[in-house]
Amino acid sequence: MKTIALLPALLLLGACSTAQKETATTPPSLKDAFADSFLIGAALNTDCTNGLDPATDSLVSLHFNSIVAENCMKSEKINPSEGVYEWDDADNFVNYGTERGMKIIGHTLLWHSQLAPWFPLDSAGNNVTPDVMKQRIANHISTVMTRYKGKIHGWDVVNEAILEDGSYRKSPFYEILGEEFIPFAFSCAAAADPDAELYLNDYSMASPAKRETYLKIIADLKARGIRIDGIGMQGHMGMDYPDFAEFEKSIEEYGKAGVGVMITEWDMSALPTVNQGANVADTTAFNKLLNPYPDGLPEDIDREWNERMGRMMDMFMRHADVITRVTAWGTDDSKSWKNDWPMKGRTEYPLLFSRSLTPKPFLNKYLNK
Ligand code: 9MR
């Protein structure tokens, strides 16, 4: 009798533990949580894509459906001397994403920083002529894009071309070709791979002056029939920037301009903002200022950081009609460039996953919905 009466309860227990096991083996993922809204991406370093970091590989494979190359496609890496291309790391990156069915983002074709030193100079060390610069840009874009044609979802064609006051950055591209370097680069890119999306990408996108210039550039490209598919709003943030309302206005204005909007390079420093020129005479005070939380974030700062990130994510969700992708600039906190910026050796907490590879609390409401 007793045995029979217990049977349903035991069956129920059995069912529970099977369900628990299933939940334990298939934890909720970011890519499922945001599937109806936008792609969710991460920047990867070569340890992961060269097979040297299985823990990050598992995290990335579970949570992300888009990846971007943190460094290996920049010109100084991929095209270090004229006519010389180093493909190994970039090939591994592209194969990694292809094998996992991810949307792969190429970063970046033209950028003043990490620009291969030979690119703008002649043999005497002077800037090349406009014709030679055009030839070099055309060759670089066509060679790199052709190699990955059909495999790359979108390219950051031009990175960080405009300053916060809305003027053009005086990069070698600008110095040699003037404003025309942007339309020229987009024309080359469109010719090289008609199916890859083409983007402008920049930081400080909450700046109204910068926004105005980018809106003009987008309108100009469109008026001239030159394809531009999206604008990448880099999301390098801190506890006191950006201005959320201005950031949101930029999302709205770019959306109205008829291009896709991507939140790229998302991370939020949890440390006090320090400018690079900070000069504190006393070493202990200096360390305390620059690296205040080497052993973990205080609870109140952690809470505030999560609250700010949550507000941002809610903003992105409000604009999911124009936002096509949200990409974090790294995977877990230990992998962030911000640990070394503005100087080496800071312990930072800017990414979506902690050093123990757990999702940050602000993501729970999406993961457990
Ligand atoms: O995260 C990248 C870091 O590893 C490199 O040392 C650095 C070199 O400038 O570039 C970092 O990524 C940058 C990105 O390519 C463009 N926007 C700013 C990013 C952070 O500096």
Side-chain angles (χ1 to χ4, degrees):
M1 262 314 265
K2 244 184 187 174
T3 322
I4 292 168
L6 273 177
L7 204 57
L10 284 174
L11 283 176
L12 198 65
L13 269 176
C16 280
S17 67
T18 314
Q20 265 166 6
K21 255 187 227 151
E22 272 167 17
T23 330
T25 49
T26 51
S29 73
L30 291 180
K31 66 184 176 200
D32 288 342
F34 296 106
D36 295 336
S37 306
F38 30 68
L39 294 168
I40 189 94
L44 300 186
N45 64 31
T46 49
D47 279 355
C48 179
T49 49
N50 289 345
L52 304 174
D53 185 353
T56 300
D57 173 26
S58 304
L59 180 106
V60 171
S61 301
L62 171 67
H63 284 288
F64 296 97
N65 48 20
S66 176
I67 55 171
V68 57
E70 184 173 6
N71 286 306
C72 68
M73 288 180 150
K74 293 171 180 173
S75 67
E76 79 171 8
K77 302 271 185 206
I78 209 167
N79 188 188
S81 328
E82 187 160 24
V84 174
Y85 290 87
E86 304 278 355
W87 299 118
D88 290 357
D89 286 341
D91 284 359
N92 288 346
F93 164 76
V94 172
N95 290 339
Y96 180 93
T98 307
E99 281 159 13
R100 289 160 182 76
M102 294 164 160
K103 301 277 192 226
I104 303 171
I105 308 302
H107 173 87
T108 167
L109 293 166
L110 294 192
W111 188 29
H112 67 280
S113 180
Q114 287 184 301
L115 174 65
W118 67 274
F119 209 121
L121 303 178
D122 64 19
S123 52
N126 300 315
N127 275 351
V128 293
T129 62
D131 278 350
V132 172
M133 188 55 151
K134 279 189 165 180
Q135 228 169 52
R136 289 183 179 183
I137 290 177
N139 280 343
H140 177 77
I141 290 182
S142 145
T143 307
V144 176
M145 286 186 72
T146 302
R147 184 168 182 94
Y148 301 117
K149 195 170 175 170
K151 294 184 172 170
I152 298 263
H153 177 70
W155 280 97
D156 291 337
V157 178
V158 173
N159 197 38
E160 301 174 5
I162 303 299
L163 298 173
E164 263 183 84
D165 64 3
S167 66
Y168 278 69
R169 179 188 297 281
K170 308 298 173 282
S171 70
F173 308 114
Y174 179 83
E175 277 176 351
I176 297 169
L177 291 175
E179 298 180 6
E180 202 48 31
F181 90 88
I182 296 182
F184 181 72
F186 275 77
S187 303
C188 295
D193 187 350
D195 296 324
E197 293 190 349
L198 307 179
Y199 316 130
L200 285 163
N201 189 52
D202 211 328
Y203 62 83
S204 293
M205 294 299 255
S207 148
K210 201 162 191 166
R211 177 167 65 227
E212 285 317 305
T213 303
Y214 272 119
L215 288 170
K216 273 193 205 130
I217 295 173
I218 293 166
D220 174 61
L221 289 171
K222 283 179 174 274
R224 292 165 62 177
I226 302 172
R227 183 160 65 84
I228 170 164
D229 300 291
I231 186 128
M233 296 178 58
Q234 293 181 21
H236 296 299
M237 303 178 180
M239 299 297 262
D240 51 3
Y241 65 96
D243 179 317
F244 279 30
E246 290 295 346
F247 196 90
E248 185 158 22
K249 187 160 179 215
S250 295
I251 297 176
E252 287 163 356
E253 294 293 315
Y254 292 137
K256 280 190 225 151
V259 288
V261 179
M262 287 145 297
I263 309 302
T264 62
E265 308 192 19
W266 194 25
D267 53 23
M268 184 181 286
S269 172
L271 308 188
T273 305
V274 179
N275 69 45
Q276 236 158 336
N279 179 12
V280 184
D282 172 78
T283 318
T284 314
F286 190 73
N287 285 337
K288 218 170 164 197
L289 180 73
L290 297 177
N291 193 25
Y293 316 124
D295 305 317
L297 275 188
E299 238 172 69
D300 56 335
I301 307 285
D302 189 41
R303 203 174 318 112
E304 190 187 337
W305 183 92
N306 275 284
E307 186 270 329
R308 285 177 65 76
M309 289 293 277
R311 274 172 59 206
M312 266 292 158
M313 194 49 119
D314 289 346
M315 182 196 295
F316 304 157
M317 292 294 272
R318 279 201 293 284
H319 298 287
D321 55 332
V322 294
I323 293 181
T324 55
R325 170 167 57 90
V326 173
T327 288
W329 201 241
T331 48
D332 74 85
D333 285 340
S334 73
K335 309 289 184 308
S336 170
W337 70 290
K338 282 197 159 157
N339 291 300
D340 290 328
W341 191 86
M343 52 278 301
K344 276 198 173 295
R346 293 178 109 200
T347 307
E348 258 286 14
Y349 306 86
L351 289 170
L352 307 190
F353 292 85
S354 69
R355 284 173 171 75
S356 58
L357 309 187
T358 47
K360 298 281 179 76
F362 83 93
L363 292 167
N364 287 344
K365 89 169 188 207
Y366 297 105
L367 286 170
N368 303 323
K369 67 181 177 194

